[in-house]
Amino acid sequence: MAGGVLLLAIGVWLGVDALFRGEGRTPWVALAGLIFAVPLVVAYTLRPAVYANDDRLRIRNPFRTIALPWGAVSGLRSGYSNEVFTQDGTKFQLWAVPVSLRGRKKAARRHAQQVASDDPVASRVRPGAPGVTRPHGRDAGDQAMDDLREIAERREGAQSAQGEPVVRWAYEILAPCVAGAVLLAVLLGLG
């Protein structure tokens, strides 16, 4: 998120400078570039989020918002990315829940060191085992996925958590991006 804010600040600074100090077509190209680039930066850095409550999981990815009632969720998987699967087999990625292979290795090393030091609690806990209390910590992304799995298992049969998945495109991101791309192409084409 910090990188996105930094990119926005630099882009706005350079774009506004080109708008006010530029000559000829430069202000128009800068404006078209801003209209194209700002929504993309927002979409990929600031927009992704995951919200979970007792009834549904709401995933806000760069260009779509997905609402999944817990009854429609068949599973959550962590690999090189975090994914949720629906009952009909559709897969959605959770952009906002990061996967850190370095964090996983670090947690596994820490666990192995605790087992080697004859820690009685660590020797009973297998890293990555679902539903097991982890006294020695885990990677934040893996812990978030464990929490989501727990909610899904607890609420999948609840009456208020039933329904069909709803997918909505983020036209508030797509429309200005397409408009900026068309305007930029026209300006550069006339060139």
Side-chain angles (χ1 to χ4, degrees):
M1 288 180 72
V5 171
L6 184 63
L7 277 173
L8 286 174
I10 291 171
V12 169
W13 174 45
L14 293 174
V16 169
D17 183 54
L19 282 171
F20 290 113
R21 294 184 183 190
E23 297 174 0
R25 282 184 344 167
T26 303
W28 292 105
V29 171
L31 180 64
L34 282 174
I35 293 172
F36 173 69
V38 168
L40 285 179
V41 171
V42 169
Y44 284 106
T45 61
L46 303 177
R47 181 174 161 71
V50 174
Y51 302 99
N53 63 23
D54 285 341
D55 295 332
R56 69 188 41 85
L57 174 67
R58 189 166 59 103
I59 305 163
R60 201 171 66 193
N61 284 342
F63 300 111
R64 294 188 300 179
T65 300
I66 302 109
L68 298 171
W70 289 116
V73 173
S74 68
L76 290 118
R77 181 176 70 183
S78 292
Y80 293 111
S81 67
N82 289 314
E83 303 162 338
V84 61
F85 292 90
T86 61
Q87 298 293 347
D88 64 0
T90 306
K91 174 179 73 171
F92 299 105
Q93 290 187 337
L94 305 174
W95 281 63
V97 181
V99 172
S100 172
L101 298 179
R102 176 187 280 174
R104 286 180 183 167
K105 285 181 182 179
K106 191 175 178 181
R109 259 193 321 272
R110 187 175 38 237
H111 178 75
Q113 289 170 350
Q114 291 166 344
V115 169
S117 69
D118 295 327
D119 184 351
V121 174
S123 64
R124 292 191 312 259
V125 178
R126 181 175 51 92
V132 177
T133 304
R134 290 159 193 87
H136 302 291
R138 291 199 45 179
D139 179 57
D142 290 338
Q143 184 60 49
M145 289 300 286
D146 289 342
D147 293 343
L148 290 174
R149 280 186 198 98
E150 178 187 332
I151 296 171
E153 290 171 4
R154 186 173 32 109
R155 297 294 298 171
E156 69 184 341
Q159 183 64 31
S160 62
Q162 302 305 311
E164 292 297 316
V166 177
V167 178
R168 186 186 76 77
W169 287 95
Y171 294 111
E172 65 275 9
I173 298 290
L174 293 170
C177 185
V178 169
V182 168
L183 184 58
L184 193 58
V186 168
L187 287 172
L188 294 176
L190 293 176

